[in-house]
PDB file of all heavy atoms in Angstrom:
ATOM      1  N   ARG Y   1      43.152  46.508 -33.037  1.00 93.00           N
ATOM      2  CA  ARG Y   1      44.049  45.396 -33.009  1.00 93.00           C
ATOM      3  C   ARG Y   1      43.314  44.077 -33.349  1.00 93.00           C
ATOM      4  O   ARG Y   1      42.280  43.921 -32.745  1.00 93.00           O
ATOM      5  CB  ARG Y   1      44.795  45.274 -31.661  1.00 93.00           C
ATOM      6  CG  ARG Y   1      45.889  46.257 -31.438  1.00 93.00           C
ATOM      7  CD  ARG Y   1      47.155  45.806 -32.218  1.00 93.00           C
ATOM      8  NE  ARG Y   1      48.365  46.550 -31.726  1.00 93.00           N
ATOM      9  CZ  ARG Y   1      49.536  46.301 -32.256  1.00 93.00           C
ATOM     10  NH1 ARG Y   1      49.729  45.409 -33.188  1.00 93.00           N
ATOM     11  NH2 ARG Y   1      50.589  47.017 -31.813  1.00 93.00           N
ATOM     12  N   VAL Y   2      43.875  43.299 -34.124  1.00 95.00           N
ATOM     13  CA  VAL Y   2      43.177  42.048 -34.518  1.00 95.00           C
ATOM     14  C   VAL Y   2      43.395  40.963 -33.474  1.00 95.00           C
ATOM     15  O   VAL Y   2      44.402  41.014 -32.720  1.00 95.00           O
ATOM     16  CB  VAL Y   2      43.678  41.495 -35.860  1.00 95.00           C
ATOM     17  CG1 VAL Y   2      43.427  42.533 -36.956  1.00 95.00           C
ATOM     18  CG2 VAL Y   2      45.124  41.046 -35.826  1.00 95.00           C
ATOM     19  N   ASP Y   3      42.447  40.062 -33.284  1.00 95.00           N
ATOM     20  CA  ASP Y   3      42.656  38.966 -32.362  1.00 95.00           C
ATOM     21  C   ASP Y   3      43.569  37.935 -33.006  1.00 95.00           C
ATOM     22  O   ASP Y   3      44.403  37.266 -32.207  1.00 95.00           O
ATOM     23  CB  ASP Y   3      41.318  38.316 -32.123  1.00 95.00           C
ATOM     24  CG  ASP Y   3      40.396  39.276 -31.328  1.00 95.00           C
ATOM     25  OD1 ASP Y   3      40.875  40.205 -30.719  1.00 95.00           O
ATOM     26  OD2 ASP Y   3      39.138  39.033 -31.463  1.00 95.00           O
ATOM     27  N   SER Y   4      43.491  37.691 -34.231  1.00 96.00           N
ATOM     28  CA  SER Y   4      44.338  36.837 -34.958  1.00 96.00           C
ATOM     29  C   SER Y   4      44.391  37.112 -36.464  1.00 96.00           C
ATOM     30  O   SER Y   4      43.498  37.953 -36.927  1.00 96.00           O
ATOM     31  CB  SER Y   4      43.820  35.374 -34.822  1.00 96.00           C
ATOM     32  OG  SER Y   4      42.503  35.171 -35.308  1.00 96.00           O
ATOM     33  N   GLY Y   5      45.287  36.597 -37.169  1.00 96.00           N
ATOM     34  CA  GLY Y   5      45.572  36.890 -38.528  1.00 96.00           C
ATOM     35  C   GLY Y   5      46.657  37.829 -38.808  1.00 96.00           C
ATOM     36  O   GLY Y   5      47.349  38.234 -37.884  1.00 96.00           O
ATOM     37  N   ARG Y   6      46.805  38.273 -40.035  1.00 96.00           N
ATOM     38  CA  ARG Y   6      48.013  39.036 -40.494  1.00 96.00           C
ATOM     39  C   ARG Y   6      47.551  40.075 -41.513  1.00 96.00           C
ATOM     40  O   ARG Y   6      46.758  39.704 -42.442  1.00 96.00           O
ATOM     41  CB  ARG Y   6      49.001  38.100 -41.119  1.00 96.00           C
ATOM     42  CG  ARG Y   6      50.288  38.662 -41.638  1.00 96.00           C
ATOM     43  CD  ARG Y   6      51.051  37.648 -42.276  1.00 96.00           C
ATOM     44  NE  ARG Y   6      52.224  38.073 -43.044  1.00 96.00           N
ATOM     45  CZ  ARG Y   6      53.457  38.077 -42.567  1.00 96.00           C
ATOM     46  NH1 ARG Y   6      53.879  37.600 -41.378  1.00 96.00           N
ATOM     47  NH2 ARG Y   6      54.490  38.505 -43.371  1.00 96.00           N
ATOM     48  N   ILE Y   7      47.989  41.294 -41.400  1.00 96.00           N
ATOM     49  CA  ILE Y   7      47.711  42.365 -42.337  1.00 96.00           C
ATOM     50  C   ILE Y   7      49.063  43.022 -42.771  1.00 96.00           C
ATOM     51  O   ILE Y   7      49.850  43.370 -41.969  1.00 96.00           O
ATOM     52  CB  ILE Y   7      46.829  43.421 -41.722  1.00 96.00           C
ATOM     53  CG1 ILE Y   7      45.490  42.874 -41.227  1.00 96.00           C
ATOM     54  CG2 ILE Y   7      46.552  44.537 -42.707  1.00 96.00           C
ATOM     55  CD1 ILE Y   7      44.551  43.784 -40.553  1.00 96.00           C
ATOM     56  N   THR Y   8      49.219  43.026 -44.073  1.00 95.00           N
ATOM     57  CA  THR Y   8      50.463  43.664 -44.696  1.00 95.00           C
ATOM     58  C   THR Y   8      50.020  44.785 -45.580  1.00 95.00           C
ATOM     59  O   THR Y   8      49.257  44.600 -46.453  1.00 95.00           O
ATOM     60  CB  THR Y   8      51.181  42.541 -45.450  1.00 95.00           C
ATOM     61  OG1 THR Y   8      51.500  41.408 -44.707  1.00 95.00           O
ATOM     62  CG2 THR Y   8      52.533  43.170 -46.034  1.00 95.00           C
ATOM     63  N   ILE Y   9      50.604  45.928 -45.344  1.00 94.00           N
ATOM     64  CA  ILE Y   9      50.382  47.040 -46.106  1.00 94.00           C
ATOM     65  C   ILE Y   9      51.712  47.560 -46.846  1.00 94.00           C
ATOM     66  O   ILE Y   9      52.639  47.926 -46.132  1.00 94.00           O
ATOM     67  CB  ILE Y   9      49.812  48.301 -45.280  1.00 94.00           C
ATOM     68  CG1 ILE Y   9      48.546  47.852 -44.566  1.00 94.00           C
ATOM     69  CG2 ILE Y   9      49.472  49.420 -46.191  1.00 94.00           C
ATOM     70  CD1 ILE Y   9      47.371  47.583 -45.486  1.00 94.00           C
ATOM     71  N   ASP Y  10      51.743  47.478 -48.107  1.00 93.00           N
ATOM     72  CA  ASP Y  10      52.960  47.901 -48.862  1.00 93.00           C
ATOM     73  C   ASP Y  10      54.227  47.271 -48.233  1.00 93.00           C
ATOM     74  O   ASP Y  10      55.196  48.005 -48.137  1.00 93.00           O
ATOM     75  CB  ASP Y  10      53.007  49.470 -48.860  1.00 93.00           C
ATOM     76  CG  ASP Y  10      53.884  49.951 -49.983  1.00 93.00           C
ATOM     77  OD1 ASP Y  10      54.088  49.245 -50.989  1.00 93.00           O
ATOM     78  OD2 ASP Y  10      54.385  51.102 -49.884  1.00 93.00           O
ATOM     79  N   GLY Y  11      54.174  46.089 -47.975  1.00 91.00           N
ATOM     80  CA  GLY Y  11      55.346  45.369 -47.506  1.00 91.00           C
ATOM     81  C   GLY Y  11      55.596  45.377 -46.037  1.00 91.00           C
ATOM     82  O   GLY Y  11      56.407  44.645 -45.485  1.00 91.00           O
ATOM     83  N   THR Y  12      54.810  46.280 -45.286  1.00 91.00           N
ATOM     84  CA  THR Y  12      54.917  46.350 -43.832  1.00 91.00           C
ATOM     85  C   THR Y  12      53.902  45.493 -43.155  1.00 91.00           C
ATOM     86  O   THR Y  12      52.688  45.716 -43.496  1.00 91.00           O
ATOM     87  CB  THR Y  12      54.798  47.784 -43.334  1.00 91.00           C
ATOM     88  OG1 THR Y  12      55.899  48.520 -43.949  1.00 91.00           O
ATOM     89  CG2 THR Y  12      54.912  47.912 -41.860  1.00 91.00           C
ATOM     90  N   VAL Y  13      54.213  44.591 -42.226  1.00 93.00           N
ATOM     91  CA  VAL Y  13      53.260  43.741 -41.576  1.00 93.00           C
ATOM     92  C   VAL Y  13      52.817  44.556 -40.335  1.00 93.00           C
ATOM     93  O   VAL Y  13      53.468  44.640 -39.273  1.00 93.00           O
ATOM     94  CB  VAL Y  13      53.897  42.416 -41.191  1.00 93.00           C
ATOM     95  CG1 VAL Y  13      52.864  41.555 -40.458  1.00 93.00           C
ATOM     96  CG2 VAL Y  13      54.397  41.703 -42.304  1.00 93.00           C
ATOM     97  N   LEU Y  14      51.672  45.136 -40.453  1.00 91.00           N
ATOM     98  CA  LEU Y  14      51.168  46.051 -39.309  1.00 91.00           C
ATOM     99  C   LEU Y  14      50.753  45.329 -38.122  1.00 91.00           C
ATOM    100  O   LEU Y  14      50.615  45.803 -37.040  1.00 91.00           O
ATOM    101  CB  LEU Y  14      50.118  46.935 -39.806  1.00 91.00           C
ATOM    102  CG  LEU Y  14      48.766  46.446 -40.180  1.00 91.00           C
ATOM    103  CD1 LEU Y  14      47.820  46.211 -38.976  1.00 91.00           C
ATOM    104  CD2 LEU Y  14      48.037  47.474 -41.103  1.00 91.00           C
ATOM    105  N   THR Y  15      50.528  43.950 -38.262  1.00 88.00           N
ATOM    106  CA  THR Y  15      50.090  43.149 -37.093  1.00 88.00           C
ATOM    107  C   THR Y  15      51.340  42.646 -36.266  1.00 88.00           C
ATOM    108  O   THR Y  15      51.135  42.080 -35.255  1.00 88.00           O
ATOM    109  CB  THR Y  15      49.213  41.977 -37.609  1.00 88.00           C
ATOM    110  OG1 THR Y  15      49.888  41.364 -38.724  1.00 88.00           O
ATOM    111  CG2 THR Y  15      47.876  42.346 -37.967  1.00 88.00           C
ATOM    112  N   ASP Y  16      52.504  42.900 -36.730  1.00 89.00           N
ATOM    113  CA  ASP Y  16      53.729  42.557 -35.952  1.00 89.00           C
ATOM    114  C   ASP Y  16      53.904  43.522 -34.795  1.00 89.00           C
ATOM    115  O   ASP Y  16      53.564  44.741 -34.977  1.00 89.00           O
ATOM    116  CB  ASP Y  16      55.035  42.618 -36.849  1.00 89.00           C
ATOM    117  CG  ASP Y  16      55.112  41.395 -37.774  1.00 89.00           C
ATOM    118  OD1 ASP Y  16      54.238  40.487 -37.597  1.00 89.00           O
ATOM    119  OD2 ASP Y  16      56.055  41.316 -38.570  1.00 89.00           O
ATOM    120  N   ARG Y  17      54.258  43.007 -33.657  1.00 86.00           N
ATOM    121  CA  ARG Y  17      54.404  43.924 -32.486  1.00 86.00           C
ATOM    122  C   ARG Y  17      55.396  44.958 -32.688  1.00 86.00           C
ATOM    123  O   ARG Y  17      55.333  46.083 -32.024  1.00 86.00           O
ATOM    124  CB  ARG Y  17      54.763  42.987 -31.285  1.00 86.00           C
ATOM    125  CG  ARG Y  17      53.616  42.129 -30.820  1.00 86.00           C
ATOM    126  CD  ARG Y  17      52.507  42.929 -30.303  1.00 86.00           C
ATOM    127  NE  ARG Y  17      51.324  42.062 -29.848  1.00 86.00           N
ATOM    128  CZ  ARG Y  17      50.175  42.506 -29.435  1.00 86.00           C
ATOM    129  NH1 ARG Y  17      50.012  43.814 -29.391  1.00 86.00           N
ATOM    130  NH2 ARG Y  17      49.250  41.755 -28.983  1.00 86.00           N
ATOM    131  N   GLY Y  18      56.413  44.777 -33.481  1.00 87.00           N
ATOM    132  CA  GLY Y  18      57.481  45.746 -33.567  1.00 87.00           C
ATOM    133  C   GLY Y  18      57.214  46.870 -34.557  1.00 87.00           C
ATOM    134  O   GLY Y  18      58.026  47.796 -34.712  1.00 87.00           O
ATOM    135  N   THR Y  19      56.055  46.840 -35.318  1.00 87.00           N
ATOM    136  CA  THR Y  19      55.798  47.763 -36.345  1.00 87.00           C
ATOM    137  C   THR Y  19      55.516  49.188 -35.772  1.00 87.00           C
ATOM    138  O   THR Y  19      54.761  49.354 -34.774  1.00 87.00           O
ATOM    139  CB  THR Y  19      54.618  47.324 -37.211  1.00 87.00           C
ATOM    140  OG1 THR Y  19      54.915  46.112 -37.782  1.00 87.00           O
ATOM    141  CG2 THR Y  19      54.248  48.348 -38.311  1.00 87.00           C
ATOM    142  N   ASP Y  20      56.117  50.209 -36.331  1.00 86.00           N
ATOM    143  CA  ASP Y  20      55.824  51.561 -36.014  1.00 86.00           C
ATOM    144  C   ASP Y  20      54.466  51.899 -36.561  1.00 86.00           C
ATOM    145  O   ASP Y  20      54.360  52.355 -37.672  1.00 86.00           O
ATOM    146  CB  ASP Y  20      56.914  52.443 -36.480  1.00 86.00           C
ATOM    147  CG  ASP Y  20      56.778  53.981 -36.090  1.00 86.00           C
ATOM    148  OD1 ASP Y  20      55.643  54.300 -35.586  1.00 86.00           O
ATOM    149  OD2 ASP Y  20      57.770  54.699 -36.211  1.00 86.00           O
ATOM    150  N   LEU Y  21      53.403  51.876 -35.705  1.00 84.00           N
ATOM    151  CA  LEU Y  21      52.117  52.139 -36.198  1.00 84.00           C
ATOM    152  C   LEU Y  21      51.873  53.574 -36.592  1.00 84.00           C
ATOM    153  O   LEU Y  21      51.113  53.829 -37.491  1.00 84.00           O
ATOM    154  CB  LEU Y  21      51.081  51.646 -35.100  1.00 84.00           C
ATOM    155  CG  LEU Y  21      51.094  50.166 -34.836  1.00 84.00           C
ATOM    156  CD1 LEU Y  21      49.978  49.894 -33.781  1.00 84.00           C
ATOM    157  CD2 LEU Y  21      50.884  49.354 -36.110  1.00 84.00           C
ATOM    158  N   ASN Y  22      52.474  54.492 -35.920  1.00 82.00           N
ATOM    159  CA  ASN Y  22      52.355  55.987 -36.308  1.00 82.00           C
ATOM    160  C   ASN Y  22      52.842  56.238 -37.660  1.00 82.00           C
ATOM    161  O   ASN Y  22      52.326  56.936 -38.535  1.00 82.00           O
ATOM    162  CB  ASN Y  22      53.052  56.829 -35.328  1.00 82.00           C
ATOM    163  CG  ASN Y  22      52.327  56.885 -33.993  1.00 82.00           C
ATOM    164  OD1 ASN Y  22      51.078  56.761 -33.967  1.00 82.00           O
ATOM    165  ND2 ASN Y  22      52.991  57.080 -32.940  1.00 82.00           N
ATOM    166  N   ALA Y  23      54.030  55.593 -38.010  1.00 82.00           N
ATOM    167  CA  ALA Y  23      54.590  55.673 -39.361  1.00 82.00           C
ATOM    168  C   ALA Y  23      53.717  55.135 -40.373  1.00 82.00           C
ATOM    169  O   ALA Y  23      53.506  55.641 -41.474  1.00 82.00           O
ATOM    170  CB  ALA Y  23      56.092  55.122 -39.400  1.00 82.00           C
ATOM    171  N   LEU Y  24      53.114  53.897 -40.045  1.00 84.00           N
ATOM    172  CA  LEU Y  24      52.255  53.231 -41.020  1.00 84.00           C
ATOM    173  C   LEU Y  24      51.025  54.063 -41.221  1.00 84.00           C
ATOM    174  O   LEU Y  24      50.553  54.200 -42.356  1.00 84.00           O
ATOM    175  CB  LEU Y  24      51.980  51.831 -40.506  1.00 84.00           C
ATOM    176  CG  LEU Y  24      51.089  51.076 -41.448  1.00 84.00           C
ATOM    177  CD1 LEU Y  24      51.630  49.656 -41.716  1.00 84.00           C
ATOM    178  CD2 LEU Y  24      49.589  51.007 -40.946  1.00 84.00           C
ATOM    179  N   ARG Y  25      50.378  54.550 -40.129  1.00 82.00           N
ATOM    180  CA  ARG Y  25      49.102  55.383 -40.315  1.00 82.00           C
ATOM    181  C   ARG Y  25      49.377  56.583 -41.116  1.00 82.00           C
ATOM    182  O   ARG Y  25      48.463  57.091 -41.813  1.00 82.00           O
ATOM    183  CB  ARG Y  25      48.596  55.761 -38.943  1.00 82.00           C
ATOM    184  CG  ARG Y  25      48.058  54.641 -38.118  1.00 82.00           C
ATOM    185  CD  ARG Y  25      47.396  55.038 -36.835  1.00 82.00           C
ATOM    186  NE  ARG Y  25      47.017  53.934 -35.980  1.00 82.00           N
ATOM    187  CZ  ARG Y  25      47.518  53.658 -34.783  1.00 82.00           C
ATOM    188  NH1 ARG Y  25      48.521  54.473 -34.317  1.00 82.00           N
ATOM    189  NH2 ARG Y  25      47.136  52.647 -34.096  1.00 82.00           N
ATOM    190  N   ALA Y  26      50.551  57.120 -41.171  1.00 82.00           N
ATOM    191  CA  ALA Y  26      50.894  58.251 -41.997  1.00 82.00           C
ATOM    192  C   ALA Y  26      50.773  57.895 -43.479  1.00 82.00           C
ATOM    193  O   ALA Y  26      50.485  58.792 -44.357  1.00 82.00           O
ATOM    194  CB  ALA Y  26      52.277  58.832 -41.717  1.00 82.00           C
TER     195      ALA Y  26
END
């Protein structure tokens, strides 16, 4: 988890709290 900043992968913001990280990791 980052301390600050923003990461977007293929339109999904993985640093947002509501992101499904398991789906993204797939």
